[in-house]
Amino acid sequence: MVPSILAQAETLMDAGRYDDAIKTLLLARELVSREPTICNTLGSLLLHVGKPQDAIVWFETALALEPDCIQAVSGLGMAYQGSGDFGRALRCGERAIAAQPDDAVSWYRQGFVLLELGRSIEALASLDRAISLKSDYKLAFGKRAEVIESLGKVPEAMQAALRSCHMSPEDVTSWSRLGDLLQKYRDFDKAIAAYDKGLSRCPEDFSCFFNKALALDALGRFGDALVTAQRALRVEPDNREALILCGKLELKLEHPAVAHACFQTVAEMGVVRNHPAATKPAKFRALLLFSPEAGNTPYEDLIRDSCFDADVLFALRHYRNDPQDCSDQVDVVVNLVSETDFGLDVMASAIDLADSLHRPVVNHPRLMLATDRESISRRLSGVEDAVMPATTRIEAKDLRRRVRDGDMNAFPLIVRHAGKHGGDMMELAGDADTLSRFAEEAGERTLYLTDFVNYSSPDGFFRKYRFIFVGDQILPYHLAIGDGWKVHHASTRMAGIEWMRREEEAFLNEPERVFGAKGMAVLDAIRRQIGLDYFGIDCSLDSEGRVVIFEVNASMLVHLHNAGFEYKNPHVIRIKQAFERLLERRAKEYRSSVSAADTFWAKSA
């Protein structure tokens, strides 16, 4: 009986019918569970079709029958690796290496897992050991380049990637990896050349097409990027990331209907992305509502290496999500959709979805409706000891008419395109001619006009402070010191001026000393007035110590990419930890309410 079942499964495997092979073995579950060899076969098949959690059960069954079975130990390690449990994968790898210390594959897998655990130096040693046992080990050379790059040794990583290409000139993966490395360090033209080398070897390689499209997008070659992304999509028609990229590029090329079709195809697949917790088991599961058709709270760095699992779901204009697409295990919902200038249709969909899930919602989309610049200026105009410049939303054509009619006298004014952040499409107009020219160039777009407040410090520099509000906490994020009124941290001279960096560090360590009790009270009043769970403020201080408010919204970026400003990292981590605690608290409250309800109905039954 056992040889017959195994023979049937092997025949199906040889024909590429892996799912049928799995079904055949599962139909004889009781018999299979008594044979370690077939358990290993079933585990390997489940790994092959992307079901590592199911594979774990069968490798563990094999080990219960034959504790020293190295095939089962190795398979179990790969299954743990595939499910994101790298700690257990590492322990399996150590057992495999102890049993067969001269097996290059075991050393390679151990290097892979160590890299995932952030133990790059140990990973490098494992990969070097694999290469010493197998001098032409292409996978190990490629992974070695990745490890070296993670250690910040860019020239050495580039040499390792090039060596991998020279060793395996016909291997498309080597060229793709080189392209990825070049792209990461913004050498986009050379990255494109590397991807083209890979495509000359394998004309239908998805990774080369997809990543080449990303490089073309970064160069602003949106049309070429779209053509390339569409070629990637023809290779993998159901690939979520390719569909999303095509949608983003269609938006940039001002084809919103086509973009929406791409995004809806992804939305209909259910959960868009999964972000597993850094350690297992996860403390809770969060569902993130995100829209590619509107501005969002940047979330990738905020949730990286967190204690919770996170799923991402798309909210789209005129699209109703099926709440059944969401896991029953979701404990808390986080709304990321934050832009209301052109996203009211999206916000309506997000509100509908958030209400339908019957879970606690952080930053409920309904609360976002009054966070556009004009609404914020009205809401905060009465805050004591604050300066809130008046902001008016206006269509460009109406502004042109008002300028022609001589109805604009209060200069200077800041004029910007609605929906833009980071200083893009924004100018200080000191007279009617400048304002008229900006309005003409804006065509039919919507603009904001804001009264200008000269917030320069006595030393002539302009200081812009950013705080992040998390629950009832007010946490400093950065201080940008600039030579002109339009200040953004990345464009200042702070990287080369030590006193500026020292001042920022001092602010981060003791913001109360800079803002004083009065300034911190103003910030707390703003927190209470806005009412969001998570948002940010860009502000300054005038000569009287009043808080000058520039911007308040939930769209502000928090990240850990602070080369040269490493003193910022503890404060970013503090924000991340506060965000985690906020979500965990809401998740626990939900679980407690469910448990209480279950107890009530049990007693009532």
Side-chain angles (χ1 to χ4, degrees):
M1 187 68 174
V2 171
S4 173
I5 294 170
L6 190 56
Q8 289 179 48
E10 287 175 346
T11 300
L12 291 166
M13 290 162 60
D14 291 341
R17 295 168 59 186
Y18 301 108
D19 287 326
D20 289 337
I22 291 169
K23 289 177 183 175
T24 298
L25 294 176
L26 288 176
L27 285 172
R29 182 186 299 269
E30 290 188 16
L31 187 60
V32 170
S33 64
R34 296 197 295 269
E35 296 292 334
T37 301
I38 309 183
C39 287
N40 285 326
T41 299
L42 180 52
S44 298
L45 277 167
L46 290 163
L47 270 182
H48 185 80
V49 299
K51 296 181 178 179
Q53 291 284 4
D54 294 340
I56 288 170
V57 174
W58 292 101
F59 288 124
E60 287 181 337
T61 302
L63 283 171
L65 296 167
E66 191 177 330
D68 295 327
C69 179
I70 297 306
Q71 182 185 354
V73 170
S74 298
L76 183 59
M78 293 174 66
Y80 280 135
Q81 179 182 316
S83 63
D85 192 342
F86 297 109
R88 286 194 173 120
L90 182 66
R91 290 193 286 276
C92 289
E94 288 168 347
R95 283 182 64 187
I97 287 171
Q100 43 190 22
D102 294 329
D103 180 54
V105 174
S106 295
W107 284 103
Y108 165 75
R109 289 175 181 162
Q110 195 74 336
F112 190 106
V113 171
L114 286 163
L115 178 61
E116 292 294 332
L117 289 168
R119 294 161 61 176
S120 299
I121 294 175
E122 294 169 80
L124 186 60
S126 291
L127 293 167
D128 283 341
R129 177 63 174 154
I131 291 167
S132 72
L133 292 166
K134 186 179 179 183
S135 60
D136 61 346
Y137 201 161
K138 299 171 186 177
L139 284 176
F141 273 106
K143 184 58 67 175
R144 186 177 187 275
E146 187 179 335
V147 174
I148 293 170
E149 192 272 332
S150 75
L151 291 168
K153 301 177 180 180
V154 180
E156 190 178 343
M158 207 70 74
Q159 289 176 3
L162 284 167
R163 182 180 179 185
S164 181
C165 291
H166 292 150
M167 282 185 63
S168 312
E170 299 305 314
D171 178 28
V172 64
T173 305
S174 297
W175 291 107
S176 180
R177 188 177 294 111
L178 175 62
D180 294 349
L181 188 59
L182 288 162
Q183 183 167 191
K184 184 169 184 177
Y185 290 95
R186 306 191 67 77
D187 197 342
F188 299 114
D189 288 316
K190 287 183 180 176
I192 290 167
Y195 296 132
D196 284 340
K197 285 273 193 182
L199 289 167
S200 70
R201 272 70 176 175
C202 182
E204 297 298 310
D205 185 76
F206 172 83
S207 294
C208 282
F209 276 132
F210 180 79
N211 291 321
K212 180 183 175 182
L214 292 176
L216 289 164
D217 180 24
L219 290 171
R221 295 168 57 184
F222 305 135
D224 293 337
L226 178 59
V227 170
T228 306
Q230 288 170 337
R231 293 185 70 181
L233 199 55
R234 284 198 290 273
V235 177
E236 294 188 16
D238 296 326
N239 186 281
R240 286 177 171 83
E241 297 303 324
L243 282 162
I244 293 169
L245 179 57
C246 285
K248 289 179 177 178
L249 291 165
E250 295 283 11
L251 280 182
K252 290 179 180 180
L253 293 167
E254 300 187 359
H255 304 148
V258 183
H260 181 83
C262 293
F263 297 140
Q264 184 166 325
T265 300
V266 176
E268 288 169 351
M269 296 178 185
V271 171
V272 178
R273 293 191 181 106
N274 303 101
H275 299 274
T279 56
K280 297 291 183 182
K283 290 187 176 180
F284 59 94
R285 180 175 292 277
L287 182 68
L288 314 182
L289 308 186
F290 179 94
S291 179
E293 296 181 314
N296 298 271
T297 303
Y299 74 91
E300 287 87 350
D301 282 340
L302 194 60
I303 69 167
R304 182 170 289 123
D305 299 325
S306 295
C307 67
F308 57 92
D309 290 331
D311 296 330
V312 179
L313 204 65
F314 273 178
L316 304 177
R317 64 181 81 247
H318 310 305
Y319 177 76
R320 184 178 178 84
N321 297 77
D322 183 354
Q324 298 304 314
D325 288 342
C326 311
S327 169
D328 291 337
Q329 302 303 312
V330 168
D331 301 298
V332 61
V333 176
V334 183
N335 170 57
L336 300 170
V337 185
S338 57
E339 187 241 305
T340 57
D341 283 321
F342 303 107
L344 289 178
D345 290 339
V346 174
M347 203 65 75
S349 297
I351 290 170
D352 178 64
L353 177 58
D355 288 343
S356 71
L357 293 171
H358 306 293
R359 298 291 194 278
V361 181
V362 171
N363 273 8
H364 197 292
R366 191 174 286 108
L367 299 176
M368 295 289 183
L369 293 174
T371 59
D372 60 277
R373 292 180 187 273
E374 185 178 57
S375 297
I376 288 292
S377 74
R378 288 199 305 267
R379 293 172 67 186
L380 299 182
S381 61
V383 176
E384 189 177 356
D385 293 318
V387 178
M388 179 73 252
T391 295
T392 303
R393 183 183 172 109
I394 187 169
E395 300 302 315
K397 61 182 179 181
D398 294 331
L399 179 57
R400 292 194 291 271
R401 177 184 52 77
R402 290 181 61 180
V403 173
R404 284 196 304 270
D405 294 346
D407 193 24
M408 302 297 300
N409 300 311
F411 292 100
L413 289 167
I414 296 172
V415 57
R416 57 156 57 85
H417 285 223
K420 293 291 184 180
H421 298 275
D424 293 334
M425 310 303 289
M426 170 182 172
E427 190 172 335
L428 181 63
D431 52 50
D433 288 342
T434 303
L435 194 58
S436 178
R437 186 174 63 253
F438 191 98
E440 286 290 343
E441 292 173 354
E444 299 302 309
R445 290 181 170 83
T446 304
L447 306 174
Y448 279 121
L449 292 176
T450 303
D451 292 342
F452 176 72
V453 175
N454 187 344
Y455 65 99
S456 61
S457 303
D459 60 4
F461 289 99
F462 292 79
R463 288 166 170 81
K464 186 173 75 173
Y465 301 87
R466 175 170 293 183
F467 290 88
I468 302 296
F469 300 82
V470 188
D472 59 0
Q473 292 184 269
I474 305 171
L475 304 173
Y477 175 69
H478 74 207
L479 161 61
I481 305 173
D483 301 292
W485 69 274
K486 189 192 291 189
V487 181
H488 295 94
H489 201 283
S491 60
T492 65
R493 297 185 292 120
M494 293 177 65
I497 301 178
E498 185 179 354
W499 71 261
M500 290 184 176
R501 298 194 302 276
R502 286 204 307 269
E503 183 176 335
E504 180 182 29
E505 184 175 11
F507 159 69
L508 292 172
N509 289 333
E510 297 182 279
E512 299 84 359
R513 292 193 63 177
V514 178
F515 274 67
K518 183 172 73 173
M520 296 306 293
V522 170
L523 293 174
D524 191 57
I526 291 169
R527 177 189 66 80
R528 287 182 277 108
Q529 178 65 38
I530 298 301
L532 293 173
D533 302 294
Y534 177 91
F535 66 104
I537 183 172
D538 282 342
C539 59
S540 190
L541 294 168
D542 69 6
S543 58
E544 299 177 28
R546 296 179 299 179
V547 176
V548 181
I549 303 167
F550 303 135
E551 191 171 0
V552 177
N553 58 50
S555 302
M556 294 186 183
L557 177 65
V558 170
H559 66 81
L560 277 165
H561 312 291
N562 296 311
F565 301 88
E566 284 79 7
Y567 55 81
K568 290 179 61 177
N569 290 339
H571 302 279
V572 178
I573 291 169
R574 187 181 173 198
I575 292 169
K576 284 167 54 64
Q577 291 173 340
F579 184 74
E580 282 191 28
R581 287 195 298 272
L582 170 67
L583 268 58
E584 185 175 4
R585 187 164 61 251
R586 298 289 178 84
K588 284 181 177 178
E589 289 170 358
Y590 168 71
R591 287 178 176 175
S592 296
S593 67
V594 171
S595 177
D598 289 345
T599 300
F600 172 80
W601 289 112
K603 289 181 178 179
S604 303

